[in-house]
Amino acid sequence: MSILTALTTLAIYSTAVVVLALTAVIAYRLNLKRHPFTDCRRCKGTGERRSWVFAHSFGYCPDCHGSGRKIRAGARLLNIR
């Protein structure tokens, strides 16, 4: 196997890896643009939290402020809304 053939093969594979990585980043960015919010983990998307002591009483979730949604980490990092 000659050096030229090895370098050509390496160039083709590295280009393919870069193209696939770039495609994955673009797809993730488009997904964040379309769906920037996720359900709040603390209240499970309901927006309310039950009391530990009194089962019939509830209040608004302090994490999501009662909306039941939180912004995804990638959307917050890339400032997408």
Side-chain angles (χ1 to χ4, degrees):
M1 183 175 201
S2 70
I3 299 289
L4 184 60
T5 308
L7 288 176
T8 305
T9 305
L10 181 66
I12 290 171
Y13 284 141
S14 61
T15 303
V17 167
V18 168
V19 168
L20 286 174
L22 199 60
T23 303
V25 167
I26 290 171
Y28 182 66
R29 171 89 164 84
L30 290 174
N31 190 359
L32 284 175
K33 183 70 174 168
R34 189 168 180 184
H35 306 287
F37 294 100
T38 185
D39 286 342
C40 177
R41 290 178 63 180
R42 199 161 176 196
C43 67
K44 298 179 180 74
T46 63
E48 58 187 42
R49 296 269 311 207
R50 294 278 175 192
S51 172
W52 288 30
V53 179
F54 302 106
H56 62 278
S57 64
F58 68 93
Y60 292 116
C61 177
D63 283 359
C64 64
H65 305 291
S67 70
R69 301 182 320 165
K70 288 191 77 167
I71 192 154
R72 289 170 59 183
R76 185 178 4 181
L77 181 69
L78 298 174
N79 198 19
I80 300 171
R81 300 231 171 134

